[in-house]
Amino acid sequence: MSQQTYKALIYVTLRPSVLDPEGTAVASGLQQQGYTEVEEVRMGKYIELTLTTETEESARKRVNQMCHQLLANPVIENYRFELKPLTTTVGG
Amino acid sequence: MSQQTYKALIYVTLRPSVLDPEGTAVASGLQQQGYTEVEEVRMGKYIELTLTTETEESARKRVNQMCHQLLANPVIENYRFELKPLTTTVGG
């Protein structure tokens, strides 16, 4: 079976109930620089991960496992991701 | 003129030509844990910023300024963002 390369775009965010001191510091810094219209800032991670699998289902399952085990801390963080097939030899 | 609250979803990524030691370390950690299908990992920041302005154009302009001046380092990072109006009193 042929292999397909995917790029996973992963967004890791703090759960809404978890305090975000870094975001609070950034918001306060922006306000002090004159950006008084800023109300709240929440900091998260954005991860681009390239992987090669046989099916999209398999890619989805593996990325889910990686997020749950290593990329996010499920106690305090949520994650979501999108998968994009990378075109390799498919031309047009 | 009435004010509108927006949530800006900001993605900050390293420029492709810039080395990403953190991403390399994460990729290597994943591979050692058995995720041998992983080819590359690039780490970035994801920022959710809430602000209130009069127009969407004004919100877009201000978020651009914040990214350029404070949230991203234009020498080594790229950024892009989406604006979402937060519904306040608009019901249905």
CSV table of all heavy atoms in Angstrom, one decimal, chain A residues 5 11 13 26 30 33-35 37-52 62 65-66 69-71 80, chain B residues 5 11 13 26 30 33-35 37-52 62 65-66 69-71 80:
chain,number,residue,atom,x,y,z
A,5,THR,N,2.2,11.4,2.9
A,5,THR,CA,2.8,12.3,3.9
A,5,THR,C,1.7,13.4,4.2
A,5,THR,O,1.1,14.0,3.4
A,5,THR,CB,4.0,13.0,3.4
A,5,THR,OG1,5.0,12.0,3.1
A,5,THR,CG2,4.6,13.9,4.4
A,11,TYR,N,-3.0,22.7,17.6
A,11,TYR,CA,-3.2,23.8,18.5
A,11,TYR,C,-3.3,23.3,19.9
A,11,TYR,O,-4.2,22.5,20.2
A,11,TYR,CB,-4.4,24.6,18.1
A,11,TYR,CG,-4.5,24.9,16.6
A,11,TYR,CD1,-5.1,24.0,15.7
A,11,TYR,CD2,-3.8,26.0,16.1
A,11,TYR,CE1,-5.1,24.2,14.4
A,11,TYR,CE2,-3.9,26.2,14.7
A,11,TYR,CZ,-4.5,25.3,13.9
A,11,TYR,OH,-4.5,25.6,12.5
A,13,THR,N,-4.0,24.6,23.7
A,13,THR,CA,-4.4,25.7,24.5
A,13,THR,C,-4.6,25.3,26.0
A,13,THR,O,-5.0,24.2,26.3
A,13,THR,CB,-5.8,26.3,24.0
A,13,THR,OG1,-6.7,25.2,23.8
A,13,THR,CG2,-5.6,27.0,22.6
A,26,VAL,N,1.6,39.4,29.0
A,26,VAL,CA,1.6,39.9,27.7
A,26,VAL,C,0.5,41.0,27.5
A,26,VAL,O,0.7,42.1,27.0
A,26,VAL,CB,1.4,38.8,26.6
A,26,VAL,CG1,1.2,39.3,25.2
A,26,VAL,CG2,2.6,37.9,26.6
A,30,LEU,N,1.1,44.9,26.6
A,30,LEU,CA,0.5,45.5,25.4
A,30,LEU,C,-0.2,46.8,25.9
A,30,LEU,O,-0.1,47.8,25.2
A,30,LEU,CB,-0.5,44.6,24.7
A,30,LEU,CG,0.1,43.4,23.9
A,30,LEU,CD1,-0.9,42.4,23.6
A,30,LEU,CD2,0.7,44.0,22.6
A,33,GLN,N,2.0,49.6,26.5
A,33,GLN,CA,2.5,50.2,25.2
A,33,GLN,C,1.5,50.9,24.5
A,33,GLN,O,1.7,51.3,23.3
A,33,GLN,CB,3.0,49.0,24.3
A,33,GLN,CG,4.2,48.2,24.9
A,33,GLN,CD,5.5,48.9,24.7
A,33,GLN,OE1,5.8,49.5,23.7
A,33,GLN,NE2,6.4,48.8,25.7
A,34,GLY,N,0.3,51.1,25.1
A,34,GLY,CA,-0.7,51.9,24.4
A,34,GLY,C,-1.8,51.1,23.8
A,34,GLY,O,-2.8,51.7,23.3
A,35,TYR,N,-1.7,49.8,23.8
A,35,TYR,CA,-2.8,49.0,23.2
A,35,TYR,C,-3.9,48.8,24.3
A,35,TYR,O,-4.1,47.7,24.7
A,35,TYR,CB,-2.3,47.7,22.7
A,35,TYR,CG,-1.3,47.9,21.6
A,35,TYR,CD1,0.1,47.8,21.8
A,35,TYR,CD2,-1.7,48.2,20.3
A,35,TYR,CE1,1.0,47.9,20.7
A,35,TYR,CE2,-0.8,48.4,19.2
A,35,TYR,CZ,0.5,48.3,19.5
A,35,TYR,OH,1.4,48.4,18.4
A,37,GLU,N,-7.0,48.8,24.0
A,37,GLU,CA,-8.2,48.0,23.6
A,37,GLU,C,-8.1,46.5,23.9
A,37,GLU,O,-9.1,45.8,23.7
A,37,GLU,CB,-8.5,48.3,22.1
A,37,GLU,CG,-7.4,47.7,21.2
A,37,GLU,CD,-6.3,48.7,20.8
A,37,GLU,OE1,-5.7,49.2,21.8
A,37,GLU,OE2,-6.1,48.9,19.7
A,38,VAL,N,-6.9,46.1,24.3
A,38,VAL,CA,-6.7,44.7,24.6
A,38,VAL,C,-7.4,44.3,25.9
A,38,VAL,O,-7.2,45.0,26.9
A,38,VAL,CB,-5.2,44.3,24.6
A,38,VAL,CG1,-5.0,42.9,25.1
A,38,VAL,CG2,-4.6,44.5,23.3
A,39,GLU,N,-8.2,43.2,25.9
A,39,GLU,CA,-8.9,42.8,27.1
A,39,GLU,C,-8.3,41.6,27.7
A,39,GLU,O,-8.2,41.5,28.9
A,39,GLU,CB,-10.4,42.6,26.7
A,39,GLU,CG,-11.1,43.9,26.5
A,39,GLU,CD,-12.5,43.7,25.9
A,39,GLU,OE1,-13.0,42.6,26.0
A,39,GLU,OE2,-13.0,44.7,25.5
A,40,GLU,N,-7.9,40.6,26.9
A,40,GLU,CA,-7.4,39.4,27.4
A,40,GLU,C,-6.5,38.7,26.4
A,40,GLU,O,-6.7,38.8,25.2
A,40,GLU,CB,-8.6,38.4,27.7
A,40,GLU,CG,-8.1,37.2,28.6
A,40,GLU,CD,-9.2,36.1,28.8
A,40,GLU,OE1,-10.1,36.1,28.0
A,40,GLU,OE2,-9.0,35.3,29.7
A,41,VAL,N,-5.4,38.0,26.9
A,41,VAL,CA,-4.5,37.3,26.1
A,41,VAL,C,-4.3,35.9,26.7
A,41,VAL,O,-4.2,35.8,27.9
A,41,VAL,CB,-3.1,38.0,26.0
A,41,VAL,CG1,-2.2,37.2,25.2
A,41,VAL,CG2,-3.3,39.4,25.3
A,42,ARG,N,-4.5,34.9,25.9
A,42,ARG,CA,-4.2,33.5,26.3
A,42,ARG,C,-3.1,32.9,25.4
A,42,ARG,O,-3.2,33.0,24.2
A,42,ARG,CB,-5.5,32.6,26.2
A,42,ARG,CG,-6.6,33.1,27.0
A,42,ARG,CD,-6.6,32.8,28.5
A,42,ARG,NE,-6.8,31.4,28.7
A,42,ARG,CZ,-6.7,30.9,30.0
A,42,ARG,NH1,-6.5,31.6,31.0
A,42,ARG,NH2,-6.9,29.6,30.2
A,43,MET,N,-2.1,32.4,26.0
A,43,MET,CA,-1.0,31.9,25.2
A,43,MET,C,-1.1,30.4,25.0
A,43,MET,O,-1.5,29.7,25.9
A,43,MET,CB,0.4,32.1,25.9
A,43,MET,CG,0.6,33.6,26.3
A,43,MET,SD,0.8,34.7,24.8
A,43,MET,CE,2.4,34.1,24.2
A,44,GLY,N,-0.8,29.9,23.8
A,44,GLY,CA,-0.8,28.5,23.5
A,44,GLY,C,0.3,28.1,22.6
A,44,GLY,O,1.2,28.9,22.3
A,45,LYS,N,0.3,26.8,22.2
A,45,LYS,CA,1.4,26.4,21.4
A,45,LYS,C,0.8,26.0,20.0
A,45,LYS,O,-0.4,25.5,19.9
A,45,LYS,CB,2.0,25.1,22.0
A,45,LYS,CG,3.0,25.4,23.1
A,45,LYS,CD,3.7,24.1,23.6
A,45,LYS,CE,2.7,23.3,24.4
A,45,LYS,NZ,3.3,22.1,25.0
A,46,TYR,N,1.5,26.2,19.0
A,46,TYR,CA,1.2,25.8,17.6
A,46,TYR,C,2.3,24.9,17.1
A,46,TYR,O,3.4,25.3,17.1
A,46,TYR,CB,1.0,27.1,16.8
A,46,TYR,CG,0.8,26.8,15.3
A,46,TYR,CD1,-0.3,26.1,14.9
A,46,TYR,CD2,1.7,27.2,14.4
A,46,TYR,CE1,-0.5,25.8,13.5
A,46,TYR,CE2,1.5,27.0,13.0
A,46,TYR,CZ,0.4,26.3,12.6
A,46,TYR,OH,0.3,26.0,11.3
A,47,ILE,N,1.9,23.7,16.7
A,47,ILE,CA,3.0,22.7,16.3
A,47,ILE,C,2.7,22.2,14.9
A,47,ILE,O,1.5,21.8,14.7
A,47,ILE,CB,3.0,21.5,17.3
A,47,ILE,CG1,3.2,22.0,18.8
A,47,ILE,CG2,4.1,20.5,16.9
A,47,ILE,CD1,2.9,21.0,19.8
A,48,GLU,N,3.6,22.3,14.0
A,48,GLU,CA,3.5,21.7,12.7
A,48,GLU,C,4.3,20.4,12.7
A,48,GLU,O,5.5,20.4,12.9
A,48,GLU,CB,4.0,22.7,11.6
A,48,GLU,CG,3.1,23.9,11.5
A,48,GLU,CD,3.5,24.8,10.3
A,48,GLU,OE1,4.6,24.5,9.8
A,48,GLU,OE2,2.7,25.7,10.0
A,49,LEU,N,3.6,19.3,12.4
A,49,LEU,CA,4.3,18.0,12.5
A,49,LEU,C,4.0,17.3,11.2
A,49,LEU,O,2.9,17.1,10.7
A,49,LEU,CB,3.6,17.2,13.7
A,49,LEU,CG,4.2,15.9,14.1
A,49,LEU,CD1,4.0,15.7,15.6
A,49,LEU,CD2,3.7,14.8,13.4
A,50,THR,N,5.1,16.8,10.6
A,50,THR,CA,5.0,16.1,9.3
A,50,THR,C,5.2,14.6,9.6
A,50,THR,O,6.1,14.2,10.3
A,50,THR,CB,6.1,16.6,8.4
A,50,THR,OG1,6.2,18.0,8.4
A,50,THR,CG2,5.9,16.1,7.0
A,51,LEU,N,4.3,13.8,9.1
A,51,LEU,CA,4.4,12.3,9.3
A,51,LEU,C,3.9,11.6,8.0
A,51,LEU,O,3.1,12.2,7.2
A,51,LEU,CB,3.6,11.9,10.5
A,51,LEU,CG,2.1,11.8,10.5
A,51,LEU,CD1,1.6,11.0,11.7
A,51,LEU,CD2,1.4,13.1,10.4
A,52,THR,N,4.4,10.4,7.9
A,52,THR,CA,4.0,9.6,6.7
A,52,THR,C,3.3,8.3,7.2
A,52,THR,O,3.9,7.6,8.0
A,52,THR,CB,5.2,9.2,5.9
A,52,THR,OG1,5.8,10.5,5.4
A,52,THR,CG2,4.9,8.4,4.7
A,62,ARG,N,-2.6,8.4,15.2
A,62,ARG,CA,-1.3,8.5,15.8
A,62,ARG,C,-1.1,10.0,16.3
A,62,ARG,O,-0.5,10.1,17.4
A,62,ARG,CB,-0.3,8.2,14.7
A,62,ARG,CG,-0.3,6.8,14.3
A,62,ARG,CD,0.2,5.8,15.3
A,62,ARG,NE,1.7,5.7,15.3
A,62,ARG,CZ,2.4,5.1,16.2
A,62,ARG,NH1,1.8,4.5,17.2
A,62,ARG,NH2,3.7,5.0,16.2
A,65,GLN,N,-2.7,10.2,19.6
A,65,GLN,CA,-1.9,9.6,20.6
A,65,GLN,C,-0.7,10.5,21.1
A,65,GLN,O,-0.4,10.6,22.2
A,65,GLN,CB,-1.3,8.2,20.1
A,65,GLN,CG,-2.4,7.1,20.0
A,65,GLN,CD,-1.8,5.9,19.4
A,65,GLN,OE1,-0.7,5.9,18.8
A,65,GLN,NE2,-2.5,4.8,19.6
A,66,MET,N,0.0,11.0,20.1
A,66,MET,CA,1.2,11.9,20.4
A,66,MET,C,0.7,13.1,21.2
A,66,MET,O,1.4,13.5,22.2
A,66,MET,CB,1.8,12.4,19.1
A,66,MET,CG,2.5,11.4,18.2
A,66,MET,SD,3.2,12.2,16.8
A,66,MET,CE,2.8,11.0,15.5
A,69,GLN,N,-0.1,11.9,24.8
A,69,GLN,CA,1.0,11.4,25.6
A,69,GLN,C,2.1,12.4,25.8
A,69,GLN,O,2.8,12.4,26.8
A,69,GLN,CB,1.6,10.2,24.9
A,69,GLN,CG,0.7,8.9,25.0
A,69,GLN,CD,1.4,7.7,24.4
A,69,GLN,OE1,2.6,7.7,24.2
A,69,GLN,NE2,0.7,6.7,24.1
A,70,LEU,N,2.4,13.2,24.7
A,70,LEU,CA,3.6,14.0,24.8
A,70,LEU,C,3.5,15.5,24.5
A,70,LEU,O,4.2,16.3,25.1
A,70,LEU,CB,4.6,13.4,23.8
A,70,LEU,CG,5.2,12.0,24.3
A,70,LEU,CD1,5.7,11.2,23.1
A,70,LEU,CD2,6.3,12.3,25.3
A,71,LEU,N,2.6,15.8,23.5
A,71,LEU,CA,2.6,17.2,23.1
A,71,LEU,C,1.8,18.1,24.0
A,71,LEU,O,2.0,19.3,24.1
A,71,LEU,CB,2.2,17.3,21.6
A,71,LEU,CG,3.0,16.5,20.6
A,71,LEU,CD1,2.4,16.6,19.2
A,71,LEU,CD2,4.5,17.0,20.6
A,80,ARG,N,-6.4,20.5,19.6
A,80,ARG,CA,-7.1,20.1,18.4
A,80,ARG,C,-6.1,20.1,17.3
A,80,ARG,O,-5.1,20.8,17.4
A,80,ARG,CB,-8.3,21.0,18.2
A,80,ARG,CG,-7.9,22.5,17.9
A,80,ARG,CD,-9.2,23.3,17.6
A,80,ARG,NE,-8.9,24.5,16.9
A,80,ARG,CZ,-8.4,25.6,17.4
A,80,ARG,NH1,-8.2,25.7,18.7
A,80,ARG,NH2,-8.1,26.7,16.7
B,5,THR,N,-16.4,43.6,20.0
B,5,THR,CA,-15.3,42.8,20.5
B,5,THR,C,-14.9,41.7,19.5
B,5,THR,O,-15.8,41.0,19.0
B,5,THR,CB,-15.7,42.2,21.9
B,5,THR,OG1,-16.1,43.3,22.7
B,5,THR,CG2,-14.6,41.4,22.5
B,11,TYR,N,-1.1,33.1,14.9
B,11,TYR,CA,-0.2,32.0,14.7
B,11,TYR,C,1.2,32.6,14.4
B,11,TYR,O,1.4,33.3,13.5
B,11,TYR,CB,-0.6,31.1,13.6
B,11,TYR,CG,-2.0,30.7,13.6
B,11,TYR,CD1,-3.0,31.5,13.0
B,11,TYR,CD2,-2.4,29.6,14.3
B,11,TYR,CE1,-4.3,31.1,13.0
B,11,TYR,CE2,-3.8,29.3,14.4
B,11,TYR,CZ,-4.7,30.0,13.8
B,11,TYR,OH,-6.1,29.7,13.8
B,13,THR,N,5.1,31.6,13.7
B,13,THR,CA,5.9,30.4,13.3
B,13,THR,C,7.3,30.9,13.0
B,13,THR,O,7.5,32.1,12.6
B,13,THR,CB,5.4,29.7,12.0
B,13,THR,OG1,5.1,30.7,11.0
B,13,THR,CG2,4.1,29.0,12.4
B,26,VAL,N,11.7,17.7,20.0
B,26,VAL,CA,10.4,17.0,20.2
B,26,VAL,C,10.3,15.9,19.2
B,26,VAL,O,9.9,14.8,19.5
B,26,VAL,CB,9.3,18.1,20.0
B,26,VAL,CG1,7.9,17.4,19.8
B,26,VAL,CG2,9.3,19.1,21.1
B,30,LEU,N,9.7,12.0,20.1
B,30,LEU,CA,8.6,11.2,19.6
B,30,LEU,C,9.1,9.9,18.9
B,30,LEU,O,8.5,8.8,19.1
B,30,LEU,CB,7.8,12.0,18.6
B,30,LEU,CG,6.9,13.1,19.2
B,30,LEU,CD1,6.4,14.1,18.1
B,30,LEU,CD2,5.7,12.5,19.8
B,33,GLN,N,10.0,7.4,21.3
B,33,GLN,CA,8.8,6.8,22.0
B,33,GLN,C,8.1,5.8,21.0
B,33,GLN,O,7.0,5.3,21.3
B,33,GLN,CB,7.9,7.8,22.4
B,33,GLN,CG,8.4,8.8,23.5
B,33,GLN,CD,8.3,8.2,24.9
B,33,GLN,OE1,7.4,7.5,25.2
B,33,GLN,NE2,9.3,8.4,25.7
B,34,GLY,N,8.6,5.6,19.8
B,34,GLY,CA,8.0,4.7,18.9
B,34,GLY,C,7.2,5.3,17.7
B,34,GLY,O,6.7,4.6,16.9
B,35,TYR,N,7.2,6.7,17.7
B,35,TYR,CA,6.5,7.3,16.6
B,35,TYR,C,7.5,7.6,15.5
B,35,TYR,O,7.8,8.7,15.2
B,35,TYR,CB,5.9,8.7,17.1
B,35,TYR,CG,4.8,8.5,18.2
B,35,TYR,CD1,5.1,8.7,19.5
B,35,TYR,CD2,3.5,8.0,17.8
B,35,TYR,CE1,4.1,8.5,20.5
B,35,TYR,CE2,2.6,7.8,18.8
B,35,TYR,CZ,2.8,8.1,20.1
B,35,TYR,OH,1.9,7.9,21.1
B,37,GLU,N,7.1,7.3,12.4
B,37,GLU,CA,6.6,7.9,11.2
B,37,GLU,C,6.7,9.4,11.2
B,37,GLU,O,6.5,10.1,10.2
B,37,GLU,CB,5.1,7.5,11.0
B,37,GLU,CG,4.1,8.1,12.1
B,37,GLU,CD,3.9,7.2,13.3
B,37,GLU,OE1,5.0,6.8,13.9
B,37,GLU,OE2,2.8,6.9,13.6
B,38,VAL,N,7.2,10.0,12.3
B,38,VAL,CA,7.3,11.5,12.4
B,38,VAL,C,8.6,11.9,11.6
B,38,VAL,O,9.7,11.3,11.8
B,38,VAL,CB,7.4,11.9,13.9
B,38,VAL,CG1,7.8,13.4,13.9
B,38,VAL,CG2,6.1,11.6,14.6
B,39,GLU,N,8.4,12.9,10.8
B,39,GLU,CA,9.6,13.3,10.0
B,39,GLU,C,10.1,14.7,10.5
B,39,GLU,O,11.3,14.8,10.5
B,39,GLU,CB,9.2,13.4,8.5
B,39,GLU,CG,9.0,12.1,7.9
B,39,GLU,CD,8.4,12.1,6.5
B,39,GLU,OE1,8.3,13.2,5.9
B,39,GLU,OE2,8.0,11.0,6.0
B,40,GLU,N,9.2,15.6,10.7
B,40,GLU,CA,9.7,16.9,11.2
B,40,GLU,C,8.7,17.5,12.1
B,40,GLU,O,7.5,17.3,12.0
B,40,GLU,CB,9.9,17.8,9.9
B,40,GLU,CG,10.7,19.1,10.3
B,40,GLU,CD,10.8,20.1,9.1
B,40,GLU,OE1,9.9,20.0,8.2
B,40,GLU,OE2,11.6,21.0,9.2
B,41,VAL,N,9.2,18.3,13.1
B,41,VAL,CA,8.4,19.1,14.0
B,41,VAL,C,8.9,20.5,14.0
B,41,VAL,O,10.1,20.7,14.1
B,41,VAL,CB,8.4,18.5,15.4
B,41,VAL,CG1,7.5,19.3,16.3
B,41,VAL,CG2,7.8,17.0,15.4
B,42,ARG,N,8.0,21.4,13.9
B,42,ARG,CA,8.3,22.9,14.0
B,42,ARG,C,7.4,23.4,15.1
B,42,ARG,O,6.2,23.3,15.0
B,42,ARG,CB,8.1,23.6,12.7
B,42,ARG,CG,8.9,23.1,11.5
B,42,ARG,CD,10.3,23.6,11.4
B,42,ARG,NE,10.4,25.0,11.1
B,42,ARG,CZ,11.6,25.6,11.1
B,42,ARG,NH1,12.7,24.9,11.3
B,42,ARG,NH2,11.7,26.9,10.8
B,43,MET,N,8.0,24.1,16.1
B,43,MET,CA,7.2,24.6,17.2
B,43,MET,C,6.9,26.1,16.9
B,43,MET,O,7.8,26.9,16.4
B,43,MET,CB,8.0,24.5,18.5
B,43,MET,CG,8.5,23.1,18.8
B,43,MET,SD,7.2,22.0,19.2
B,43,MET,CE,6.6,22.6,20.7
B,44,GLY,N,5.7,26.5,17.2
B,44,GLY,CA,5.3,27.9,17.1
B,44,GLY,C,4.5,28.3,18.3
B,44,GLY,O,4.2,27.5,19.2
B,45,LYS,N,4.0,29.5,18.2
B,45,LYS,CA,3.1,30.0,19.3
B,45,LYS,C,1.7,30.3,18.7
B,45,LYS,O,1.5,30.6,17.5
B,45,LYS,CB,3.6,31.4,19.8
B,45,LYS,CG,4.8,31.2,20.8
B,45,LYS,CD,5.2,32.6,21.3
B,45,LYS,CE,5.9,33.4,20.2
B,45,LYS,NZ,6.5,34.7,20.7
B,46,TYR,N,0.7,30.0,19.6
B,46,TYR,CA,-0.7,30.3,19.2
B,46,TYR,C,-1.2,31.2,20.3
B,46,TYR,O,-1.1,30.9,21.5
B,46,TYR,CB,-1.5,29.0,19.2
B,46,TYR,CG,-2.9,29.1,19.0
B,46,TYR,CD1,-3.5,29.7,17.9
B,46,TYR,CD2,-3.8,28.7,20.0
B,46,TYR,CE1,-4.8,29.9,17.8
B,46,TYR,CE2,-5.2,28.8,19.9
B,46,TYR,CZ,-5.7,29.4,18.8
B,46,TYR,OH,-7.0,29.6,18.7
B,47,ILE,N,-1.7,32.4,19.9
B,47,ILE,CA,-2.1,33.4,20.9
B,47,ILE,C,-3.6,33.8,20.6
B,47,ILE,O,-3.9,34.1,19.4
B,47,ILE,CB,-1.2,34.7,20.7
B,47,ILE,CG1,0.2,34.3,20.9
B,47,ILE,CG2,-1.7,35.7,21.7
B,47,ILE,CD1,1.2,35.4,20.5
B,48,GLU,N,-4.4,33.7,21.6
B,48,GLU,CA,-5.8,34.2,21.5
B,48,GLU,C,-5.9,35.5,22.2
B,48,GLU,O,-5.6,35.6,23.4
B,48,GLU,CB,-6.8,33.2,22.1
B,48,GLU,CG,-6.9,31.9,21.3
B,48,GLU,CD,-8.0,31.0,21.8
B,48,GLU,OE1,-8.5,31.2,22.9
B,48,GLU,OE2,-8.3,30.0,21.2
B,49,LEU,N,-6.2,36.6,21.4
B,49,LEU,CA,-6.2,37.9,22.0
B,49,LEU,C,-7.6,38.6,21.8
B,49,LEU,O,-8.1,38.6,20.7
B,49,LEU,CB,-5.1,38.7,21.2
B,49,LEU,CG,-4.8,40.1,21.7
B,49,LEU,CD1,-3.3,40.4,21.4
B,49,LEU,CD2,-5.6,41.2,21.1
B,50,THR,N,-8.2,39.0,22.9
B,50,THR,CA,-9.5,39.7,22.8
B,50,THR,C,-9.3,41.2,22.8
B,50,THR,O,-8.6,41.7,23.7
B,50,THR,CB,-10.4,39.2,24.0
B,50,THR,OG1,-10.3,37.8,24.1
B,50,THR,CG2,-11.8,39.6,23.8
B,51,LEU,N,-10.0,41.9,21.9
B,51,LEU,CA,-9.9,43.3,21.9
B,51,LEU,C,-11.2,43.9,21.4
B,51,LEU,O,-12.0,43.3,20.7
B,51,LEU,CB,-8.7,43.8,21.0
B,51,LEU,CG,-8.8,43.8,19.5
B,51,LEU,CD1,-7.7,44.6,18.9
B,51,LEU,CD2,-8.8,42.4,18.9
B,52,THR,N,-11.4,45.2,21.8
B,52,THR,CA,-12.7,45.9,21.4
B,52,THR,C,-12.3,47.1,20.6
B,52,THR,O,-11.6,47.9,21.1
B,52,THR,CB,-13.5,46.2,22.7
B,52,THR,OG1,-13.8,45.0,23.3
B,52,THR,CG2,-14.8,47.0,22.3
B,62,ARG,N,-4.6,47.1,14.3
B,62,ARG,CA,-4.0,47.1,15.6
B,62,ARG,C,-3.3,45.8,15.9
B,62,ARG,O,-2.2,45.7,16.5
B,62,ARG,CB,-5.0,47.5,16.7
B,62,ARG,CG,-5.5,48.9,16.6
B,62,ARG,CD,-4.5,49.9,16.9
B,62,ARG,NE,-4.5,50.1,18.4
B,62,ARG,CZ,-3.6,50.9,19.0
B,62,ARG,NH1,-2.6,51.5,18.3
B,62,ARG,NH2,-3.6,51.1,20.3
B,65,GLN,N,-0.1,45.6,14.1
B,65,GLN,CA,0.9,46.4,14.9
B,65,GLN,C,1.5,45.6,16.1
B,65,GLN,O,2.7,45.6,16.3
B,65,GLN,CB,0.4,47.7,15.3
B,65,GLN,CG,0.1,48.7,14.2
B,65,GLN,CD,-0.5,50.0,14.7
B,65,GLN,OE1,-1.1,50.1,15.8
B,65,GLN,NE2,-0.5,51.1,13.9
B,66,MET,N,0.6,45.0,16.8
B,66,MET,CA,1.0,44.3,18.0
B,66,MET,C,1.9,43.1,17.7
B,66,MET,O,2.9,42.9,18.3
B,66,MET,CB,-0.2,43.7,18.8
B,66,MET,CG,-1.1,44.8,19.4
B,66,MET,SD,-2.5,44.0,20.3
B,66,MET,CE,-3.8,45.0,19.8
B,69,GLN,N,5.3,44.6,16.5
B,69,GLN,CA,6.1,45.2,17.6
B,69,GLN,C,6.4,44.3,18.7
B,69,GLN,O,7.5,44.4,19.3
B,69,GLN,CB,5.4,46.4,18.1
B,69,GLN,CG,5.4,47.6,17.2
B,69,GLN,CD,4.7,48.8,17.8
B,69,GLN,OE1,4.5,48.9,19.0
B,69,GLN,NE2,4.3,49.7,17.0
B,70,LEU,N,5.5,43.4,19.1
B,70,LEU,CA,5.7,42.8,20.4
B,70,LEU,C,5.5,41.3,20.4
B,70,LEU,O,6.2,40.5,21.1
B,70,LEU,CB,4.7,43.4,21.4
B,70,LEU,CG,5.1,44.8,21.9
B,70,LEU,CD1,3.8,45.5,22.4
B,70,LEU,CD2,6.1,44.7,22.9
B,71,LEU,N,4.5,40.8,19.6
B,71,LEU,CA,4.2,39.3,19.8
B,71,LEU,C,5.1,38.4,18.9
B,71,LEU,O,5.3,37.3,19.3
B,71,LEU,CB,2.7,39.1,19.4
B,71,LEU,CG,1.7,39.9,20.2
B,71,LEU,CD1,0.3,39.7,19.7
B,71,LEU,CD2,1.8,39.5,21.7
B,80,ARG,N,0.5,35.1,11.2
B,80,ARG,CA,-0.7,35.4,10.5
B,80,ARG,C,-1.8,35.3,11.5
B,80,ARG,O,-1.6,34.8,12.7
B,80,ARG,CB,-0.9,34.3,9.4
B,80,ARG,CG,-1.1,32.9,9.9
B,80,ARG,CD,-1.4,32.0,8.7
B,80,ARG,NE,-2.0,30.7,9.2
B,80,ARG,CZ,-1.3,29.7,9.7
B,80,ARG,NH1,0.0,29.8,9.8
B,80,ARG,NH2,-2.0,28.6,10.1
